[in-house]
Amino acid sequence: MAVTGAAAALVLSIGSAAGLSAASAGHARTVAAGTTQSAIPFTGQPTDPSQGGSSGQGGYSGGTAPGGGSQSPDTGQGSNGSTQQEASTASTEESTGVVLIDTQLGYENAEAAGTGMVLSKDGLVLTNNHVIADSTKISVTVATTGKTYEASVVGSDSTQDVAVLQLKDAADLQTATIDDDSVSVGDDVTAVGNSEGGGVLQAADGSVTDLGASVTTTAQGTEDSETLDDMIQVQADIVSGDSGGALLDDEGEVVGMNTAASSGSAVVTGFAIPIESALTTAESIINGQQTATNTLGYPAFLGIGVQQDSQSGQSGRSGQGSQSIQPGDGSPNGQSGASSQTAGAVVAGVYEDTPAAEAGLTAGDTITKIGSTQVTDGNSLSEAIAEHKPGDTVSVTWTGTDGKTHTAEVTLAEGPAA
């Protein structure tokens, strides 16, 4: 989805202070894992920080966490199991330009919550990729007005954990105030986010403990671990739902985007993407610049779950058209019949009313080709589908559980957000 006209220009109040209330002092900073409800198979997004390590290793700080990493909201529990005792409701100044994000993951029958920041008056919103990944519907509420908008994905980059949304029919929104100074170790900061997906922004204070830090999220369920570099590291109390929220300096200006948190220790370490880095990625998306790592708009979608790799324990899902689930989900016996002996991507389940279902694919089939491209596993299947756009017609070749080869022409659908 390309953005033209006024939406292509970021309207940012660079350098102007938001006027933080003195009452914000003493908060504990928050960033934690996704708030997800009723997650079922056919998933693959991170993560539950309760499985994380100590400083330098942890889970994403909010948004989607279905499947193997899912959990119900824990009503105020931080990722280290403690309550967020020192945080309080964000002030109007702290809330300016910050939005609450709620997503529906239709193929997982799940819901999730996170946070975002307004980049333009006509409704461009910055958030983490993992906040909106796998979503089929997104609604965004402006914290200071309470008005809710339907949102679409302009684009996302999972390697940078950045996504940009466009709010429908938005106008004259207040934008986030971006810092024009450099952040330093020892600086006081306040994190603002949709803690626990509760629908009310919370503000929590902390201090910068390191710059240029790296954090590796913990592999869970079907999701591989992922490393993010050059992060702002802060010491703070952390709860779920704050990903994509604003890390403010003592002038009320945004210095970072809350993204990840450690767990498993008494002192929680939070990590934020420096705002200048996040904006660089966002601007390439807004300008419609295709890169090796981003997805513009929505990906093409076949509509299947891919059997997990039994050797690696990890799936082949890349978010581009195929979904990964635990072995056996959607197929009582997992791999079965002749197809288990065929090199390819084994279908663990098929979503209703999708191109795969219309083509006649069923659990246990093994996809061997997309067009003329050979498919050897779930990764190569995702990569092959990623070469296409929604609406493209491609041939799919597969071996059924009876050993017979089938080929069908399918028109790829618009998939969940990548």
Side-chain angles (χ1 to χ4, degrees):
M1 172 180 171
V3 179
T4 59
L10 303 187
V11 183
L12 301 173
S13 314
I14 297 178
S16 59
L20 275 180
S21 167
S24 65
H27 296 318
R29 193 200 65 88
T30 33
V31 223
T35 301
T36 302
Q37 303 166 2
S38 306
I40 61 172
F42 298 103
T43 65
Q45 275 309 120
T47 106
D48 174 358
S50 65
Q51 301 298 322
S54 59
S55 176
Q57 185 174 21
Y60 286 114
S61 61
T64 57
S70 67
Q71 60 178 6
S72 297
D74 53 11
T75 59
Q77 295 298 313
S79 63
N80 64 347
S82 64
T83 56
Q84 193 187 20
Q85 297 177 347
E86 298 180 22
S88 64
T89 303
S91 68
T92 300
E93 292 83 2
E94 292 166 332
S95 302
T96 300
V98 183
V99 296
L100 307 144
I101 298 176
D102 292 289
T103 64
Q104 294 182 15
L105 292 76
Y107 292 104
E108 286 85 35
N109 189 28
E111 297 178 349
T115 316
M117 292 176 278
V118 179
L119 297 182
S120 70
K121 291 183 178 181
D122 58 357
L124 285 173
V125 169
L126 174 71
T127 189
N128 284 129
N129 177 72
H130 72 265
V131 169
I132 54 88
D134 280 348
S135 62
T136 53
K137 185 177 180 180
I138 305 171
S139 61
V140 174
T141 301
V142 177
T144 53
T145 66
K147 187 172 182 178
T148 299
Y149 299 85
E150 178 184 342
S152 59
V153 178
V154 179
S156 58
D157 190 324
S158 61
T159 63
Q160 302 300 317
D161 205 359
V162 169
V164 178
L165 310 179
Q166 175 66 62
L167 309 189
K168 184 178 180 181
D169 298 328
D172 297 324
L173 300 183
Q174 288 185 292
T175 60
T177 301
I178 305 302
D179 179 51
D180 59 351
D181 301 317
S182 59
V183 64
S184 301
V185 173
D187 285 355
D188 292 330
V189 288
T190 300
V192 178
N194 185 14
S195 302
E196 296 295 342
V200 177
L201 291 180
Q202 297 289 317
D205 283 350
S207 61
V208 176
T209 57
D210 194 12
L211 300 175
S214 294
V215 58
T216 299
T217 60
T218 303
Q220 293 186 329
T222 60
E223 189 67 23
D224 292 336
S225 63
E226 189 169 61
T227 298
L228 296 171
D229 298 317
D230 299 320
M231 305 282 279
I232 301 170
Q233 179 177 308
V234 298
Q235 183 174 319
D237 191 8
I238 293 177
V239 299
S240 64
D242 289 328
S243 272
L247 184 66
L248 304 174
D249 64 12
D250 59 4
E251 295 181 317
E253 299 174 353
V254 179
V255 297
M257 179 166 64
N258 305 328
T259 298
S262 70
S263 63
S265 61
V267 178
V268 177
T269 302
F271 299 88
I273 299 172
I275 192 60
E276 61 269 20
S277 298
L279 288 177
T280 296
T281 302
E283 286 174 354
S284 68
I285 291 170
I286 292 166
N287 292 331
Q289 298 174 1
Q290 185 71 64
T291 70
T293 58
N294 70 15
T295 299
L296 301 179
Y298 290 84
F301 186 59
L302 181 58
I304 64 169
V306 177
Q307 185 70 49
Q308 191 177 44
D309 186 332
S310 61
Q311 292 184 348
S312 69
Q314 297 299 325
S315 70
R317 181 184 181 276
S318 69
Q320 305 290 348
S322 65
Q323 305 281 335
S324 300
I325 63 176
Q326 297 290 342
D329 291 335
S331 175
N333 299 312
Q335 296 185 15
S336 62
S339 66
S340 63
Q341 306 302 316
T342 303
V346 179
V347 177
V350 178
Y351 297 114
E352 295 180 358
D353 302 320
T354 63
E358 294 174 3
L361 281 157
T362 60
D365 292 344
T366 301
I367 297 175
T368 56
K369 281 185 180 182
I370 297 293
S372 59
T373 302
Q374 197 73 34
V375 172
T376 57
D377 55 19
N379 281 328
S380 61
L381 173 61
S382 291
E383 290 168 0
I385 295 175
E387 295 296 320
H388 296 279
K389 298 179 179 179
D392 286 355
T393 298
V394 299
S395 63
V396 179
T397 301
W398 72 93
T399 301
T401 56
D402 58 1
K404 294 182 179 180
T405 299
H406 308 265
T407 299
E409 297 289 316
V410 303
T411 300
L412 297 173
E414 181 178 273

